[in-house]
Amino acid sequence: LQAVLMTSLRSILLVFLPVSVGFYILRYPVVGVLLERGKFDAVSTYLTCGALGYYVMGLTLWALDIILQRFYFSVKDTFLPSVLEVITIGIHVALCYVWLDTLYHEGIALAFTVSRLLKVGLLVGFLRTKVPTLELGRNAFFLARLGAATALMAVPMVFVSLRLAPPQESKLWFEAESPRIRYWSGPDARELS
């Protein structure tokens, strides 16, 4: 069971970590190409990508959470993951409330990522009670190789992202006001609720 768990965690990291990094780097061009038409303009892309960036940071954590939760269930420990999920939901709601006035919709996405990070961290921390060894040496070597490969992949993606960036004359200026966001694109101004 321990071998299956470690292989599953490494497989999830192998798939989701590069995907998360790549999508984080290319989020503006991807959202712009896929959605920017009609009333969904450059400002809508900017607002969407702000929250999307935080969600993408939590994508790998979300996948690890699913594997870890299923492992705990397979060893007949349903109490710990359930309690941690309730605590995670409470933290998520509290952080949403705290960040709503400063980060707006991005605060909801950041709260998701932070709450997932806490839950996955605790589930990994409690793993020592369930498995005899966490294969730290093998996993550290795997993470080092995966990190190097992801960094090599990220370098050309950054250049592609910069190449696909909007031209300088289409810069947008944002001014946050309490419940509304005002933005200017050229001579006209729009207001969002």
Side-chain angles (χ1 to χ4, degrees), residues 6-24:
M6 292 302 153
T7 302
S8 299
L9 291 177
R10 284 191 292 266
S11 299
I12 288 294
L13 286 171
L14 181 66
V15 172
F16 278 88
L17 190 62
V19 167
S20 297
V21 169
F23 196 46
Y24 183 83

Side-chain angles (χ1 to χ4, degrees), residues 46-85:
Y46 176 83
L47 293 172
T48 300
C49 289
L52 184 62
Y54 290 123
Y55 277 124
V56 167
M57 283 188 238
L59 186 63
T60 303
L61 296 168
W62 171 78
L64 290 173
D65 180 23
I66 291 172
I67 296 297
L68 288 168
Q69 196 166 347
R70 291 191 176 160
F71 170 76
Y72 276 92
F73 289 165
S74 70
V75 294
K76 298 182 179 165
D77 183 1
T78 58
F79 180 75
L80 181 65
S82 301
V83 168
L84 288 178
E85 185 64 35

Side-chain angles (χ1 to χ4, degrees), residues 23-35:
F23 196 46
Y24 183 83
I25 293 169
L26 294 175
R27 68 190 185 278
Y28 286 99
V30 167
V31 170
V33 166
L34 291 178
L35 301 175

Side-chain angles (χ1 to χ4, degrees), residues 98-193:
V98 168
W99 288 330
L100 192 59
D101 289 337
T102 55
L103 295 174
Y104 304 105
H105 67 288
E106 292 177 10
I108 296 169
L110 181 58
F112 167 80
T113 299
V114 169
S115 63
R116 283 299 121 191
L117 178 64
L118 290 172
K119 183 180 179 196
V120 168
L122 289 171
L123 285 173
V124 169
F126 285 114
L127 265 181
R128 285 209 177 269
T129 62
K130 306 292 178 193
V131 294
T133 178
L134 296 178
E135 300 177 10
L136 294 179
R138 184 176 180 192
N139 288 333
F141 182 64
F142 170 78
L143 286 174
R145 288 187 340 196
L146 181 61
T150 303
L152 283 173
M153 175 204 73
V155 170
M157 289 183 132
V158 168
F159 288 116
V160 168
S161 179
L162 292 173
R163 185 84 172 136
L164 296 175
Q168 291 289 15
E169 59 268 8
S170 69
K171 276 190 175 177
L172 304 168
W173 290 267
F174 291 89
E175 177 187 297
E177 297 177 349
S178 68
R180 298 189 179 284
I181 296 174
R182 277 196 154 171
Y183 68 87
W184 288 264
S185 176
D188 60 336
R190 281 181 46 192
E191 212 169 275
L192 299 173
S193 325

